[in-house]
Amino acid sequence: MFGMVNRHIIQTIQTTYGEQKWIDIIASIPEIPHFSQLQQYPDEITFLIIKKSVETLDIDIDLLLETLGRGWIKETADGPWGIYYELYGDTIFTFLNNLDSLHAALGAQLTDLSPPSFLCKHVKADTICVRYMSNRDGLTYFVKGLLKGLCEKFSYPAHVTIEQTRSDLIKYDEYLIEKI
């Protein structure tokens, strides 16, 4: 994962739980690099930070991942990446349909990017089905948080549910976004 994602995780934990809790967490991690925003780091480092955070804070991993995903949307939309939200769609459905194009554009700047892929369709007038495909395991609830964050960003009040998780036979997670 890129350093910016790891920094987001660290900042979220520090802001939510306090600096002392973060110090307790890093005390249980053998070596943690100083993350450079645009540098790629092994996923194992990110997942170790999350694992040690869950253990130290005694919180549910799914809840932490969902919180991180939701916060990631706010952070990127309000920061220097915000222009991408404007360029790739003015509704949640349009934006979701353009996520692969957005990641392709980001890949021109972030050459080590290994982006996921998304397929979206309306299954009902007020229900969007999102299929998430990635070479990374363990991000189901992070993506759920991303989708919730996008609902907030695009003022689309909705429930987000996980309908299908990846397995040996199925190589994607599937979500429903049901407008309230």
Side-chain angles (χ1 to χ4, degrees):
M1 302 252 187
F2 278 92
M4 66 181 96
V5 175
N6 291 302
R7 283 182 162 193
H8 168 67
I9 294 167
I10 293 166
Q11 289 169 352
T12 300
I13 290 168
Q14 289 171 327
T15 301
T16 307
Y17 299 98
E19 184 64 28
Q20 185 55 53
K21 287 292 185 182
W22 174 245
I23 291 169
D24 295 345
I25 292 164
I26 60 172
S28 66
I29 300 174
E31 185 178 333
I32 189 165
H34 174 74
F35 293 109
S36 175
Q37 290 280 82
L38 302 179
Q39 183 176 335
Q40 184 76 263
Y41 296 88
D43 288 350
E44 293 78 21
I45 294 172
T46 306
F47 288 115
L48 180 61
I49 292 169
I50 290 169
K51 178 183 178 210
K52 295 300 184 180
S53 297
V54 165
E55 290 172 0
T56 303
L57 300 170
D58 193 29
I59 57 174
D60 180 69
I61 189 168
D62 297 340
L63 179 61
L64 177 60
L65 287 168
E66 191 174 317
T67 299
L68 292 169
R70 201 173 195 163
W72 180 249
I73 296 299
K74 178 147 181 51
E75 182 173 316
T76 55
D78 292 346
W81 304 99
I83 188 69
Y84 287 96
Y85 289 85
E86 295 174 27
L87 293 173
Y88 285 90
D90 58 356
T91 68
I92 190 167
F93 185 73
T94 302
F95 185 81
L96 288 168
N97 268 319
N98 287 326
L99 275 174
D100 285 0
S101 297
L102 180 150
H103 283 106
L106 288 173
Q109 296 174 16
L110 307 170
T111 55
D112 291 336
L113 184 67
S114 177
S117 183
F118 296 85
L119 291 174
C120 307
K121 65 180 178 181
H122 277 289
V123 291
K124 294 180 190 171
D126 59 353
T127 304
I128 303 168
C129 179
V130 179
R131 189 171 285 180
Y132 164 78
M133 295 152 286
S134 174
N135 59 0
R136 292 183 165 110
D137 287 324
L139 296 175
T140 301
Y141 282 87
F142 182 79
V143 173
K144 182 180 180 184
L146 293 173
L147 295 173
K148 284 183 170 188
L150 286 171
C151 289
E152 292 167 5
K153 167 71 180 149
F154 288 100
S155 300
Y156 191 85
H159 292 292
V160 177
T161 55
I162 299 167
E163 293 296 305
Q164 171 71 51
T165 56
R166 64 192 270 168
S167 66
D168 290 340
L169 299 175
I170 298 173
K171 300 298 180 195
Y172 58 85
D173 291 333
E174 195 166 83
Y175 306 82
L176 286 183
I177 301 173
E178 298 175 279
K179 190 169 186 177
I180 300 172

